[in-house]
């Protein structure tokens, strides 16, 4: 005969219709350790990449500065080698290009600066270094070019003035040496030289910005500066020309020379008065000597007649 298991009646009665009476406070979800590891690894990688990028940027900056310093040092040497050149040397032709065009001293130095820039740019290790160097070198090249071009223009002006003055002075000498034929009119070499001198003085005055009657600015009156410049050169002509005539004792020709230049407006009042006094005294002295000589000759003649 089968036995029924012993059952005990629960002491806690279940209340029908009441809320569930079992608690889940001891249930805990599983930790996601894989996702955390990935996030930590990603953050570490980003930090490492940022550090590596910063190091590379610092290296690029240091390298570009090194290249820029090298360029600037060597560029200044090239620039200074040009800035020490003066007048003709600063504007001289130093060669001919492949296209047959002349190469001047200024062009040569600019070519050297560009070649130096290309040479040093080739030492850059990456595009970033090259970009930084190019920016700094371009600024330095611009400054050098600016200073050199100003020097070139200044020396070119000096050179032109020097040549103009030399040409004028040569004409002054030629005019004074040709004084003997001043009274031959338009065929006179002296007159031709004097006309050429006038043209050269006016051209020089234009370069210097001096106003004179008939200049390119439409002036109708000679400025004081122009008058002083013109008279200065003409005075040199007259001093040398009159000295030449006086050495030959051609006092009366000197007087005629002064009258001719006064009539043509090519001698200043001060210069005219100075030489007129000199030649007048010389003529008086010559006349006195002639009178004395005439008296002596007359006495000698009378003495000879008495002896006869």
């Amino acid at each position: 005969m089968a036995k029924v298991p012993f059952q005990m009646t629960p002491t806690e009665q279940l209340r029908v219709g009441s809320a569930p009476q079992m608690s889940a406070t001891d249930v805990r979800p599983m930790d996601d350790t894989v996702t955390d590891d990935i996030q930590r690894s990603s953050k570490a990688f980003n930090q490492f990449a940022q550090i590596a990028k910063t190091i590379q940027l610092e290296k690029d900056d240091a390298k570009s500065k090194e290249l820029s310093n090298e360029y600037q040092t060597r560029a200044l040497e090239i620039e200074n080698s040009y800035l020490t050149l003066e007048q003709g040397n600063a504007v001289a032709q130093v060669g001919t290009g492949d296209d047959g065009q002349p190469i001047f001293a200024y062009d040569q130095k600019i070519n050297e600066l560009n070649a130096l820039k290309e040479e040093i740019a080739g030492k850059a290790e990456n595009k970033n270094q090259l970009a930084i160097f190019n920016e700094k070198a371009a600024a330095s090249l611009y400054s050098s070019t600016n200073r050199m071009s100003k020097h070139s223009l200044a020396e070119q002006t000096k050179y032109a003035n020097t040549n103009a003055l030399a040409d004028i002075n040569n004409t002054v000498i030629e005019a004074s040496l040709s004084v003997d034929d001043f009274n031959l009119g338009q065929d006179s070499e002296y007159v031709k030289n004097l006309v050429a001198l006038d043209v050269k003085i006016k051209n020089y005055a234009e370069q210097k910005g001096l106003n004179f009657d008939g200049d390119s600015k439409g002036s109708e009156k000679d400025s004081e500066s122009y008058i002083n410049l013109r008279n200065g050169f003409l005075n040199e002509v007259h001093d040398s020309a009159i000295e030449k005539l006086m050495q030959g004792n051609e006092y009366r020709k000197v007087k005629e020379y002064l009258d001719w230049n006064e009539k043509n407006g090519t001698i200043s009042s001060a210069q005219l008065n100075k030489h007129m006094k000199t030649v007048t005294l010389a003529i008086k002295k010559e006349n006195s000597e002639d009178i004395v000589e005439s008296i002596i000759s007359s006495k000698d003649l009378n003495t000879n007649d008495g002896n006869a």
Side-chain angles (χ1 to χ4, degrees):
M1 182 173 173
K3 292 181 179 182
V4 178
F6 179 77
Q7 296 181 354
M8 293 183 67
T9 303
T11 59
E12 185 70 25
Q13 296 295 320
L14 296 177
R15 294 185 296 274
V16 178
S18 65
Q21 298 177 28
M22 296 184 67
S23 173
T25 54
D26 292 334
V27 178
R28 189 162 54 89
M30 181 181 292
D31 293 337
D32 191 353
T33 57
V34 176
T35 301
D36 290 344
D37 289 344
I38 292 175
Q39 289 177 345
R40 283 193 293 270
S41 296
S42 177
K43 182 177 181 181
F45 179 79
N46 289 337
Q47 290 176 341
F48 175 78
Q50 185 62 39
I51 293 173
K53 182 179 179 181
T54 301
I55 293 174
Q56 184 61 50
L57 289 175
E58 290 177 351
K59 180 181 178 182
D60 290 346
D61 185 60
K63 182 64 176 180
S64 63
K65 285 181 178 178
E66 176 188 329
L67 298 178
S68 297
N69 289 336
E70 180 184 356
Y71 172 79
Q72 190 168 24
T73 299
R74 293 172 62 184
L76 284 175
E77 293 176 358
I78 295 174
E79 178 185 338
N80 289 332
S81 70
Y82 179 73
L83 296 181
T84 57
L85 300 178
E86 298 181 349
Q87 297 197 28
N89 291 329
V91 298
Q93 180 178 342
V94 295
T96 304
D98 296 335
D99 56 357
Q101 296 298 315
I103 298 176
F104 297 96
Y106 170 80
D107 302 321
Q108 183 184 55
K109 296 304 178 181
I110 294 298
N111 291 340
E112 289 178 11
L113 287 175
N114 284 315
L116 175 64
K117 182 173 176 290
E118 293 300 319
E119 174 194 335
I120 297 179
K123 299 179 181 180
E125 299 170 349
N126 56 50
K127 292 182 179 180
N128 189 42
Q129 292 177 10
L130 180 61
I132 297 173
F133 166 75
N134 282 337
E135 182 179 356
K136 293 181 178 180
S140 179
L141 177 60
Y142 175 80
S143 297
S144 294
T145 302
N146 190 39
R147 288 189 292 268
M148 290 168 61
S149 62
K150 288 181 178 179
H151 179 72
S152 177
L153 291 173
E155 293 306 311
Q156 187 172 11
T157 299
K158 291 179 184 177
Y159 184 57
N161 286 340
T162 299
N163 284 341
L165 288 174
D167 192 24
I168 289 173
N169 288 326
N170 286 336
T171 306
V172 165
I173 295 173
E174 291 172 1
S176 61
L177 291 176
S178 61
V179 65
D180 293 319
D181 70 352
F182 76 88
N183 53 0
L184 296 182
Q186 297 301 317
D187 294 331
S188 165
E189 288 300 315
Y190 173 82
V191 172
K192 292 177 182 177
N193 286 324
L194 211 61
V195 171
L197 178 62
D198 184 65
V199 172
K200 292 175 182 180
I201 292 174
K202 287 179 177 177
N203 288 339
Y204 180 71
E206 285 273 14
Q207 294 177 10
K208 303 295 288 184
L210 305 182
N211 298 335
F212 58 89
D213 184 19
D215 62 16
S216 61
K217 290 178 283 188
S219 301
E220 298 180 354
K221 182 180 178 181
D222 293 341
S223 66
E224 184 177 353
S225 298
Y226 172 75
I227 292 174
N228 291 335
L229 176 70
R230 180 172 181 266
N231 285 341
F233 290 120
L234 289 175
N235 289 349
E236 293 181 31
V237 173
H238 300 319
D239 287 343
S240 298
I242 290 173
E243 181 181 3
K244 183 175 185 293
L245 293 174
M246 293 286 280
Q247 287 175 350
N249 298 325
E250 299 182 78
Y251 307 131
R252 287 171 175 77
K253 192 169 185 178
V254 171
K255 175 66 167 58
E256 185 182 351
Y257 171 85
L258 292 172
D259 291 340
W260 185 93
N261 278 283
E262 181 183 17
K263 178 182 177 181
N264 287 279
T266 51
I267 188 169
S268 66
S269 298
Q271 188 81 345
L272 177 66
N273 292 334
K274 180 184 77 170
H275 288 297
M276 193 63 80
K277 288 179 181 179
T278 301
V279 74
T280 299
L281 289 174
I283 291 174
K284 286 182 178 180
K285 181 180 180 181
E286 184 181 53
N287 289 339
S288 298
E289 291 175 351
D290 288 344
I291 292 172
V292 171
E293 184 178 350
S294 177
I295 293 172
I296 293 174
S297 297
S298 178
K299 286 184 177 180
D300 288 344
L301 182 60
N302 290 335
T303 300
N304 290 334
D305 288 344
N307 290 336

